[in-house]
Short mmCIF file of all heavy atoms in Angstrom, two decimals:
data_model
loop_
_atom_site.label_atom_id
_atom_site.label_comp_id
_atom_site.label_asym_id
_atom_site.label_seq_id
_atom_site.Cartn_x
_atom_site.Cartn_y
_atom_site.Cartn_z
N CYS A 1170 2.26 17.86 14.20
CA CYS A 1170 3.36 16.92 13.92
C CYS A 1170 3.85 17.11 12.49
O CYS A 1170 3.07 17.39 11.59
CB CYS A 1170 2.88 15.47 14.08
SG CYS A 1170 2.25 15.08 15.72
N ALA A 1171 5.15 16.94 12.28
CA ALA A 1171 5.68 16.91 10.91
C ALA A 1171 5.32 15.56 10.33
O ALA A 1171 5.29 14.55 11.04
CB ALA A 1171 7.18 17.10 10.93
N LEU A 1172 5.01 15.52 9.04
CA LEU A 1172 4.54 14.28 8.42
C LEU A 1172 5.34 13.95 7.17
O LEU A 1172 5.41 14.75 6.24
CB LEU A 1172 3.05 14.42 8.08
CG LEU A 1172 2.39 13.26 7.35
CD1 LEU A 1172 2.36 12.00 8.21
CD2 LEU A 1172 0.96 13.64 6.93
N TRP A 1173 5.95 12.77 7.18
CA TRP A 1173 6.63 12.27 5.98
C TRP A 1173 5.85 11.06 5.48
O TRP A 1173 5.59 10.12 6.24
CB TRP A 1173 8.08 11.86 6.29
CG TRP A 1173 8.80 11.38 5.06
CD1 TRP A 1173 9.38 12.15 4.10
CD2 TRP A 1173 9.01 10.02 4.66
NE1 TRP A 1173 9.92 11.36 3.12
CE2 TRP A 1173 9.71 10.04 3.44
CE3 TRP A 1173 8.66 8.78 5.20
CZ2 TRP A 1173 10.08 8.90 2.76
CZ3 TRP A 1173 9.02 7.62 4.52
CH2 TRP A 1173 9.72 7.69 3.31
N ASP A 1174 5.45 11.12 4.20
CA ASP A 1174 4.58 10.12 3.61
C ASP A 1174 5.36 9.31 2.57
O ASP A 1174 5.80 9.86 1.56
CB ASP A 1174 3.39 10.85 2.97
CG ASP A 1174 2.37 9.92 2.32
OD1 ASP A 1174 2.74 8.81 1.90
OD2 ASP A 1174 1.20 10.32 2.22
N ALA A 1175 5.53 8.02 2.84
CA ALA A 1175 6.32 7.16 1.94
C ALA A 1175 5.71 7.10 0.54
O ALA A 1175 6.43 7.16 -0.47
CB ALA A 1175 6.44 5.75 2.52
N ASP A 1176 4.37 7.00 0.45
CA ASP A 1176 3.72 6.93 -0.87
C ASP A 1176 3.92 8.22 -1.66
O ASP A 1176 4.18 8.20 -2.86
CB ASP A 1176 2.21 6.65 -0.72
CG ASP A 1176 1.94 5.19 -0.39
OD1 ASP A 1176 2.84 4.34 -0.60
OD2 ASP A 1176 0.82 4.88 0.08
N ALA A 1177 3.82 9.36 -0.95
CA ALA A 1177 4.04 10.65 -1.61
C ALA A 1177 5.48 10.76 -2.11
O ALA A 1177 5.74 11.31 -3.18
CB ALA A 1177 3.71 11.79 -0.65
N ALA A 1178 6.41 10.21 -1.33
CA ALA A 1178 7.82 10.23 -1.74
C ALA A 1178 8.01 9.44 -3.03
O ALA A 1178 8.70 9.89 -3.96
CB ALA A 1178 8.71 9.63 -0.64
N VAL A 1179 7.35 8.28 -3.12
CA VAL A 1179 7.45 7.46 -4.34
C VAL A 1179 6.86 8.22 -5.53
O VAL A 1179 7.44 8.22 -6.62
CB VAL A 1179 6.76 6.08 -4.15
CG1 VAL A 1179 6.71 5.33 -5.47
CG2 VAL A 1179 7.51 5.26 -3.10
N HIS A 1180 5.73 8.91 -5.31
CA HIS A 1180 5.13 9.71 -6.40
C HIS A 1180 6.11 10.78 -6.88
O HIS A 1180 6.25 10.99 -8.09
CB HIS A 1180 3.83 10.37 -5.93
CG HIS A 1180 2.65 9.45 -6.00
ND1 HIS A 1180 2.06 9.08 -7.20
CD2 HIS A 1180 1.96 8.80 -5.04
CE1 HIS A 1180 1.05 8.25 -6.96
NE2 HIS A 1180 0.98 8.06 -5.66
N ARG A 1181 6.80 11.42 -5.94
CA ARG A 1181 7.80 12.44 -6.33
C ARG A 1181 8.92 11.81 -7.17
O ARG A 1181 9.37 12.38 -8.16
CB ARG A 1181 8.42 13.10 -5.09
CG ARG A 1181 7.53 14.10 -4.39
CD ARG A 1181 8.30 14.93 -3.37
NE ARG A 1181 8.77 14.16 -2.22
CZ ARG A 1181 8.04 13.90 -1.14
NH1 ARG A 1181 6.78 14.31 -1.07
NH2 ARG A 1181 8.53 13.22 -0.12
N LEU A 1182 9.36 10.64 -6.75
CA LEU A 1182 10.46 9.96 -7.44
C LEU A 1182 10.06 9.52 -8.85
O LEU A 1182 10.88 9.49 -9.75
CB LEU A 1182 10.91 8.73 -6.64
CG LEU A 1182 11.56 9.01 -5.28
CD1 LEU A 1182 11.70 7.72 -4.49
CD2 LEU A 1182 12.92 9.68 -5.46
N TYR A 1183 8.77 9.18 -9.01
CA TYR A 1183 8.26 8.68 -10.30
C TYR A 1183 7.85 9.81 -11.25
O TYR A 1183 7.66 9.59 -12.44
CB TYR A 1183 7.04 7.78 -10.08
CG TYR A 1183 7.37 6.38 -9.59
CD1 TYR A 1183 8.67 5.97 -9.37
CD2 TYR A 1183 6.34 5.46 -9.34
CE1 TYR A 1183 8.95 4.69 -8.93
CE2 TYR A 1183 6.62 4.17 -8.90
CZ TYR A 1183 7.93 3.79 -8.70
OH TYR A 1183 8.20 2.52 -8.26
N ASP A 1184 7.69 11.02 -10.71
CA ASP A 1184 7.19 12.14 -11.50
C ASP A 1184 8.29 12.68 -12.43
O ASP A 1184 9.45 12.31 -12.30
CB ASP A 1184 6.68 13.25 -10.58
CG ASP A 1184 5.53 14.02 -11.21
OD1 ASP A 1184 5.24 13.79 -12.40
OD2 ASP A 1184 4.92 14.85 -10.52
N LYS A 1185 7.90 13.56 -13.35
CA LYS A 1185 8.86 14.17 -14.29
C LYS A 1185 10.03 14.77 -13.51
O LYS A 1185 9.83 15.53 -12.57
CB LYS A 1185 8.15 15.27 -15.08
CG LYS A 1185 8.18 15.03 -16.57
CD LYS A 1185 7.65 16.21 -17.34
CE LYS A 1185 7.46 15.84 -18.79
NZ LYS A 1185 6.39 14.93 -19.11
N GLY A 1186 11.23 14.38 -13.89
CA GLY A 1186 12.42 14.89 -13.21
C GLY A 1186 12.73 14.17 -11.91
O GLY A 1186 13.72 14.49 -11.24
N GLY A 1187 11.92 13.19 -11.55
CA GLY A 1187 12.14 12.43 -10.32
C GLY A 1187 13.36 11.53 -10.42
O GLY A 1187 13.74 11.08 -11.51
N ALA A 1188 13.98 11.28 -9.27
CA ALA A 1188 15.24 10.53 -9.24
C ALA A 1188 15.11 9.07 -9.70
O ALA A 1188 16.11 8.44 -10.05
CB ALA A 1188 15.83 10.58 -7.83
N ALA A 1189 13.88 8.53 -9.69
CA ALA A 1189 13.72 7.12 -10.07
C ALA A 1189 13.51 6.93 -11.58
O ALA A 1189 13.60 5.81 -12.09
CB ALA A 1189 12.54 6.50 -9.32
N VAL A 1190 13.24 8.03 -12.29
CA VAL A 1190 12.87 7.92 -13.71
C VAL A 1190 14.00 7.31 -14.55
O VAL A 1190 13.78 6.32 -15.27
CB VAL A 1190 12.42 9.29 -14.29
CG1 VAL A 1190 12.13 9.17 -15.79
CG2 VAL A 1190 11.17 9.80 -13.55
N ALA A 1191 15.20 7.87 -14.45
CA ALA A 1191 16.32 7.38 -15.28
C ALA A 1191 16.70 5.93 -14.97
O ALA A 1191 16.79 5.10 -15.88
CB ALA A 1191 17.52 8.30 -15.15
N PRO A 1192 16.91 5.57 -13.68
CA PRO A 1192 17.25 4.16 -13.42
C PRO A 1192 16.14 3.18 -13.80
O PRO A 1192 16.41 2.08 -14.25
CB PRO A 1192 17.51 4.13 -11.90
CG PRO A 1192 17.00 5.40 -11.35
CD PRO A 1192 16.96 6.39 -12.46
N MET A 1193 14.88 3.63 -13.66
CA MET A 1193 13.76 2.76 -14.03
C MET A 1193 13.73 2.55 -15.54
O MET A 1193 13.45 1.46 -16.02
CB MET A 1193 12.45 3.38 -13.55
CG MET A 1193 11.36 2.39 -13.29
SD MET A 1193 11.71 1.27 -11.93
CE MET A 1193 10.88 2.08 -10.63
N ARG A 1194 14.04 3.63 -16.29
CA ARG A 1194 14.05 3.53 -17.76
C ARG A 1194 15.12 2.54 -18.22
O ARG A 1194 14.93 1.79 -19.17
CB ARG A 1194 14.30 4.92 -18.37
CG ARG A 1194 14.18 4.91 -19.90
CD ARG A 1194 14.56 6.23 -20.53
NE ARG A 1194 13.52 7.25 -20.38
CZ ARG A 1194 13.70 8.42 -19.77
NH1 ARG A 1194 14.87 8.73 -19.24
NH2 ARG A 1194 12.72 9.29 -19.68
N THR A 1195 16.25 2.52 -17.50
CA THR A 1195 17.33 1.60 -17.85
C THR A 1195 16.92 0.14 -17.65
O THR A 1195 17.19 -0.71 -18.50
CB THR A 1195 18.57 1.90 -16.95
OG1 THR A 1195 18.91 3.27 -17.13
CG2 THR A 1195 19.75 1.04 -17.34
N VAL A 1196 16.23 -0.15 -16.55
CA VAL A 1196 15.87 -1.53 -16.22
C VAL A 1196 14.56 -1.96 -16.87
O VAL A 1196 14.45 -3.09 -17.36
CB VAL A 1196 15.78 -1.70 -14.67
CG1 VAL A 1196 15.47 -3.15 -14.30
CG2 VAL A 1196 17.09 -1.28 -14.02
N PHE A 1197 13.59 -1.06 -16.89
CA PHE A 1197 12.27 -1.36 -17.48
C PHE A 1197 11.88 -0.23 -18.44
O PHE A 1197 11.11 0.66 -18.07
CB PHE A 1197 11.20 -1.48 -16.38
CG PHE A 1197 11.50 -2.53 -15.34
CD1 PHE A 1197 11.90 -2.15 -14.06
CD2 PHE A 1197 11.37 -3.88 -15.62
CE1 PHE A 1197 12.18 -3.10 -13.09
CE2 PHE A 1197 11.65 -4.83 -14.65
CZ PHE A 1197 12.06 -4.45 -13.39
N PRO A 1198 12.41 -0.26 -19.66
CA PRO A 1198 12.18 0.86 -20.61
C PRO A 1198 10.70 1.17 -20.85
O PRO A 1198 10.33 2.34 -20.97
CB PRO A 1198 12.85 0.37 -21.90
CG PRO A 1198 13.82 -0.68 -21.46
CD PRO A 1198 13.26 -1.31 -20.23
N THR A 1199 9.84 0.14 -20.88
CA THR A 1199 8.42 0.39 -21.17
C THR A 1199 7.69 1.06 -20.00
O THR A 1199 6.58 1.56 -20.15
CB THR A 1199 7.68 -0.92 -21.51
OG1 THR A 1199 7.75 -1.79 -20.37
CG2 THR A 1199 8.26 -1.60 -22.72
N ALA A 1200 8.32 1.08 -18.82
CA ALA A 1200 7.65 1.63 -17.64
C ALA A 1200 7.67 3.16 -17.60
O ALA A 1200 6.93 3.78 -16.85
CB ALA A 1200 8.29 1.09 -16.36
N VAL A 1201 8.51 3.77 -18.45
CA VAL A 1201 8.59 5.24 -18.45
C VAL A 1201 7.89 5.79 -19.69
O VAL A 1201 8.24 5.47 -20.82
CB VAL A 1201 10.05 5.73 -18.38
CG1 VAL A 1201 10.12 7.25 -18.46
CG2 VAL A 1201 10.72 5.23 -17.11
N VAL A 1202 6.85 6.60 -19.44
CA VAL A 1202 6.06 7.19 -20.53
C VAL A 1202 6.05 8.70 -20.34
O VAL A 1202 5.68 9.20 -19.27
CB VAL A 1202 4.60 6.64 -20.50
CG1 VAL A 1202 3.79 7.24 -21.65
CG2 VAL A 1202 4.59 5.12 -20.56
N ASP A 1203 6.49 9.43 -21.37
CA ASP A 1203 6.56 10.91 -21.31
C ASP A 1203 7.33 11.41 -20.09
O ASP A 1203 6.94 12.37 -19.43
CB ASP A 1203 5.15 11.52 -21.31
CG ASP A 1203 4.38 11.20 -22.59
OD1 ASP A 1203 5.03 11.07 -23.64
OD2 ASP A 1203 3.15 11.07 -22.52
N GLY A 1204 8.42 10.71 -19.74
CA GLY A 1204 9.27 11.15 -18.65
C GLY A 1204 8.74 10.87 -17.26
O GLY A 1204 9.26 11.35 -16.26
N ILE A 1205 7.66 10.07 -17.18
CA ILE A 1205 7.06 9.72 -15.89
C ILE A 1205 6.98 8.20 -15.78
O ILE A 1205 6.69 7.51 -16.76
CB ILE A 1205 5.62 10.32 -15.78
CG1 ILE A 1205 5.69 11.85 -15.80
CG2 ILE A 1205 4.90 9.83 -14.53
CD1 ILE A 1205 4.36 12.54 -15.97
N VAL A 1206 7.28 7.67 -14.59
CA VAL A 1206 7.16 6.23 -14.37
C VAL A 1206 5.66 5.89 -14.29
O VAL A 1206 4.94 6.44 -13.45
CB VAL A 1206 7.89 5.77 -13.09
CG1 VAL A 1206 7.67 4.28 -12.86
CG2 VAL A 1206 9.39 6.07 -13.19
N ASN A 1207 5.22 5.02 -15.18
CA ASN A 1207 3.81 4.65 -15.27
C ASN A 1207 3.52 3.48 -14.32
O ASN A 1207 3.99 2.37 -14.53
CB ASN A 1207 3.50 4.28 -16.73
CG ASN A 1207 2.03 3.97 -16.94
OD1 ASN A 1207 1.45 3.16 -16.23
ND2 ASN A 1207 1.45 4.64 -17.92
N ARG A 1208 2.74 3.76 -13.28
CA ARG A 1208 2.47 2.74 -12.26
C ARG A 1208 1.67 1.56 -12.81
O ARG A 1208 1.87 0.43 -12.38
CB ARG A 1208 1.73 3.36 -11.06
CG ARG A 1208 2.66 4.22 -10.22
CD ARG A 1208 1.96 4.82 -9.03
NE ARG A 1208 2.98 5.16 -8.03
CZ ARG A 1208 2.81 5.07 -6.73
NH1 ARG A 1208 1.69 4.66 -6.22
NH2 ARG A 1208 3.79 5.39 -5.90
N ALA A 1209 0.76 1.84 -13.73
CA ALA A 1209 -0.05 0.76 -14.31
C ALA A 1209 0.85 -0.21 -15.09
O ALA A 1209 0.69 -1.43 -15.01
CB ALA A 1209 -1.13 1.35 -15.22
N GLU A 1210 1.82 0.35 -15.81
CA GLU A 1210 2.77 -0.49 -16.55
C GLU A 1210 3.65 -1.29 -15.59
O GLU A 1210 3.94 -2.46 -15.82
CB GLU A 1210 3.62 0.40 -17.48
CG GLU A 1210 4.70 -0.33 -18.27
CD GLU A 1210 4.19 -1.39 -19.27
OE1 GLU A 1210 2.98 -1.44 -19.53
OE2 GLU A 1210 5.03 -2.15 -19.77
N LEU A 1211 4.05 -0.66 -14.48
CA LEU A 1211 4.85 -1.37 -13.48
C LEU A 1211 4.07 -2.56 -12.92
O LEU A 1211 4.61 -3.65 -12.75
CB LEU A 1211 5.23 -0.44 -12.32
CG LEU A 1211 6.46 0.43 -12.47
CD1 LEU A 1211 6.78 1.11 -11.15
CD2 LEU A 1211 7.67 -0.34 -12.98
N LYS A 1212 2.77 -2.34 -12.64
CA LYS A 1212 1.92 -3.43 -12.12
C LYS A 1212 1.88 -4.59 -13.12
O LYS A 1212 1.93 -5.75 -12.74
CB LYS A 1212 0.49 -2.91 -11.87
CG LYS A 1212 0.32 -2.25 -10.53
CD LYS A 1212 -1.14 -1.86 -10.31
CE LYS A 1212 -1.27 -1.01 -9.07
NZ LYS A 1212 -2.47 -0.18 -9.05
N ARG A 1213 1.77 -4.23 -14.42
CA ARG A 1213 1.71 -5.26 -15.47
C ARG A 1213 3.03 -6.04 -15.50
O ARG A 1213 3.04 -7.28 -15.58
CB ARG A 1213 1.43 -4.61 -16.83
CG ARG A 1213 1.13 -5.60 -17.96
CD ARG A 1213 1.15 -4.93 -19.31
NE ARG A 1213 2.48 -4.45 -19.68
CZ ARG A 1213 3.50 -5.22 -20.05
NH1 ARG A 1213 3.38 -6.54 -20.06
NH2 ARG A 1213 4.66 -4.69 -20.38
N ILE A 1214 4.14 -5.32 -15.40
CA ILE A 1214 5.47 -5.95 -15.42
C ILE A 1214 5.62 -6.90 -14.22
O ILE A 1214 6.08 -8.03 -14.36
CB ILE A 1214 6.59 -4.87 -15.42
CG1 ILE A 1214 6.60 -4.11 -16.76
CG2 ILE A 1214 7.96 -5.49 -15.15
CD1 ILE A 1214 7.44 -2.84 -16.76
N ILE A 1215 5.21 -6.42 -13.05
CA ILE A 1215 5.31 -7.24 -11.83
C ILE A 1215 4.47 -8.51 -11.95
O ILE A 1215 4.88 -9.59 -11.54
CB ILE A 1215 4.89 -6.41 -10.59
CG1 ILE A 1215 5.94 -5.33 -10.30
CG2 ILE A 1215 4.71 -7.30 -9.35
CD1 ILE A 1215 5.49 -4.24 -9.35
#
C-alpha cells in the first residue's frame, strides 16, 4: 500500500525550508529557531 503520514508531513513543513517556517515566524517569532519550527516552543506557546 502507498502510505501518507500526516505527522511526517508536519515534520517536513516544520523543517529547514519547509512551507510552514515563514508563516509560523510571522505569527510566533519565538517558535522558529535556526530556520526550523521548534515543537517544544510551540507546546509552551499553546
Side-chain angles (χ1 to χ4, degrees):
C1170 301
L1172 176 65
W1173 181 81
D1174 181 334
D1176 284 342
V1179 172
H1180 278 287
R1181 285 193 292 276
L1182 294 169
Y1183 283 0
D1184 211 352
K1185 239 188 190 71
V1190 176
M1193 206 65 96
R1194 186 186 283 122
T1195 304
V1196 182
F1197 302 107
T1199 61
V1201 177
V1202 181
D1203 298 328
I1205 296 169
V1206 177
N1207 184 308
R1208 287 182 158 215
E1210 177 63 11
L1211 275 189
K1212 276 185 189 158
R1213 189 192 66 73
I1214 291 167
I1215 291 165

